[in-house]
Amino acid sequence: MHHFAYRNGRLHAEDVAIEEIAASVGTPFYCYASATLERHYRVFAEAFPRSRALIAYAVKANGNLAVLKTLADLGAGADVVSEGELRRALAVGIPGARIVFSGVGKTKPEMAAALAAGIHQFNVESAGELEALDAAAREMGVRAPIAFRVNPDVDAQTHAKISTGKAETKFGIAWTDAPALYERARALAGIEVVGVDVHIGSQITRLAPLREAFSKIVGLVKALRERGHAIARLDLGGGLGVPYMDGGEIPPLPSDYGAMVEEVTAGLGLELIFEPGRLIVGNAGILVAKVLYVKEATHPGARRFVVLDAGMNDLIRPALYDAFHALLPVREAPAGAPLAEADLVGPVCETGDRFAARRPLPPLAPGDLVAFLTAGAYGAAQASEYNTRPLVPEVLVKGARFALARARPTYDEILARDRLADWQ
Ligand SMILES: *Cc1c(COP(=O)(O)O)cnc(C)c1O
């Protein structure tokens, strides 16, 4: 479900024509629909009617302040993985008490910043991190509320590069080490044990691996309580997938996910925390690009290449995860227009700079605008300036209005970040 649709043959974001935005900010650009952000947040929140769940939006999926503010205004908390993301969440008014801090490599200054913000919970991923956090908290005269992120050794059945719940990944503490680490944590003056955390991966399209992981974790909660640990919270991470392709895998509905969680956690009186990212922002964003050239060779079997002004530096998911993004022409193709196969490529000097191979496409000519769908999550957030291509602007639409949520940097700004050495 999203709010990008044709009206009179022109693609719109809510009530705004994409062509109007393109004329104002130039291409390529990311465009987000407030209505989709709001809808997805609400659908997820409403999946947990009886529990008082904290929905800590995973900032890494899309950290733009205008996106974060939209979610903060709905009551979202935040899941952050760096001091930078912590600052983003605080900047839009998300209180520390609604922020959780995840990640395998938190530094002591980052821990101190989070403690100073009165953070809700640290999700601790190693024995070393536990000791460092204890020291940081004691130096500040406070106690750090923690959950251990436990690796349940469950296969999330998703792409290997976004699978985090198997024992061979770097994430979480080993299942078998959990009892001893909880004992150690109890002995530390700077640490207050509050919960257990799990996150097995991203773009998960089946409930079964989630149910398996959550059931294992609930077993651990019971065992820890029997040993006298005050486990009050269960952080079940993010990872629920979104549909990228018509006819592709249909991920579980948030309501079915919510019912499964209710069933698995029934009777335990746990405060639940969720860290959805992609589910909230994935379908709320598109990447709009312009066709620069259509390149055809004459030999038999030659591929046709549609060269766009957006590249892998702007949207790396196809190159990094073999991800599929549907493409729509901004001017709707006439009914019955013939489809022809082409490779959709960008201008970056890498063979991997390819959005799609042999994709059946409607007729496209230089100057035409196209939109990649489902680009709201891990799109702009993972963009870089590789090939010294400026980060593309981000635009937020609400109803009939649109606003620049991040401006395209100028070349002067980009070059001014470098310095010559004093001997040059
Ligand atoms: C990336 C991440 C998330 C969000 O994952 P989505 O698939 O976008 O929902 C949540 N929690 C942790 C710890 C993560 O690393």
Side-chain angles (χ1 to χ4, degrees):
M1 171 69 202
H2 58 74
H3 297 79
F4 302 98
Y6 290 112
R7 291 188 189 174
N8 300 320
R10 300 286 189 274
L11 189 67
H12 282 62
E14 302 191 34
D15 301 330
V16 183
I18 295 299
E19 287 176 340
E20 187 189 338
I21 303 173
S24 163
V25 306
T27 58
F29 64 92
Y30 278 97
C31 175
Y32 309 126
S34 300
T36 315
L37 292 170
E38 289 167 5
R39 181 170 192 282
H40 286 173
Y41 180 81
R42 290 212 171 92
V43 166
F44 192 81
E46 284 162 10
F48 308 97
R50 284 183 301 281
S51 50
R52 286 174 302 124
L54 169 61
I55 296 171
Y57 164 68
V59 175
K60 81 174 194 280
N62 185 326
N64 186 285
L65 293 182
V67 169
L68 276 183
K69 174 78 171 129
T70 303
L71 298 173
D73 287 349
L74 297 171
D79 169 43
V80 303
V81 295
S82 68
E83 183 175 347
E85 288 189 355
L86 173 68
R87 286 176 182 247
R88 285 183 180 273
L90 294 171
V92 298
I94 299 176
R98 297 180 67 74
I99 299 176
V100 298
F101 197 161
S102 301
V104 295
K106 305 174 193 79
T107 65
K108 270 184 102 177
E110 288 181 315
M111 292 169 177
L115 287 168
I119 198 148
H120 190 57
Q121 175 173 309
F122 289 87
N123 291 331
V124 174
E125 300 214 22
S126 65
E129 183 191 339
L130 178 72
E131 303 297 330
L133 182 57
D134 173 56
R138 280 188 289 109
E139 277 163 30
M140 294 172 69
V142 296
R143 295 183 86 196
I146 71 136
F148 281 104
R149 174 172 176 178
V150 179
N151 186 321
D153 197 18
V154 165
D155 183 354
Q157 298 169 29
T158 183
H159 191 279
K161 285 191 181 152
I162 47 175
S163 189
T164 61
K166 287 287 285 172
E168 66 262 28
T169 65
K170 70 179 177 182
F171 295 101
I173 59 167
W175 178 250
T176 43
D177 293 343
L181 281 169
Y182 273 92
E183 284 309 322
R184 174 68 186 146
R186 172 150 61 185
L188 297 174
I191 297 293
E192 182 193 2
V193 172
V194 294
V196 182
D197 168 48
V198 64
H199 171 77
I200 62 168
S202 196
Q203 186 52 19
I204 298 169
T205 53
R206 292 174 208 158
L207 278 186
L210 291 165
R211 177 190 287 271
E212 185 187 346
F214 297 172
S215 303
K216 273 184 107 165
I217 295 297
V218 161
L220 177 64
V221 168
K222 289 177 182 162
L224 291 170
R225 281 179 167 178
E226 273 165 26
R227 291 168 186 236
H229 295 285
I231 305 296
R233 303 179 192 162
L234 189 54
D235 182 336
L236 295 175
L240 210 54
V242 300
Y244 278 91
M245 147 169 40
D246 285 345
E249 274 197 292
I250 313 278
L253 292 174
S255 53
D256 291 340
Y257 173 83
M260 180 272 284
V261 168
E262 286 283 327
E263 186 194 321
V264 173
T265 61
L268 292 170
L270 287 162
E271 175 198 321
L272 298 179
I273 303 174
F274 299 94
E275 304 168 351
R278 188 191 310 270
L279 181 88
I280 308 287
V281 292
N283 278 313
I286 61 174
L287 173 65
V288 179
K290 188 165 71 185
V291 176
L292 295 177
Y293 306 105
V294 178
K295 185 165 132 160
E296 272 167 292
T298 51
H299 63 273
R303 291 219 185 186
R304 204 162 66 94
F305 296 96
V306 173
V307 184
L308 304 175
D309 65 355
M312 66 189 290
N313 67 300
D314 305 312
L315 177 64
I316 204 171
R317 298 190 66 260
L320 194 55
Y321 313 119
D322 312 306
F324 177 95
H325 285 272
L327 186 89
L328 290 180
V330 168
R331 294 197 177 190
E332 192 171 17
L339 300 183
E341 275 187 357
D343 284 16
L344 277 167
V345 300
V348 174
C349 300
E350 294 276 346
T351 306
D353 184 24
R354 184 175 72 179
F355 295 108
R358 297 185 187 276
R359 177 81 63 91
L361 295 168
L364 287 173
D368 287 354
L369 298 182
V370 294
F372 288 104
L373 303 187
T374 323
Y378 307 106
Q382 294 195 61
S384 76
E385 287 179 345
Y386 186 39
N387 281 205
T388 309
R389 293 165 42 78
L391 288 178
V392 305
E394 295 172 80
V395 170
L396 183 69
V397 169
K398 188 174 177 69
R401 289 177 293 172
F402 71 93
L404 196 57
R406 189 176 66 195
R408 195 189 309 274
T410 66
Y411 290 110
D412 286 344
E413 285 166 349
I414 293 174
L415 267 56
R417 292 202 301 259
D418 294 6
R419 295 277 185 277
L420 298 182
D422 59 6
W423 61 83
Q424 289 180 304

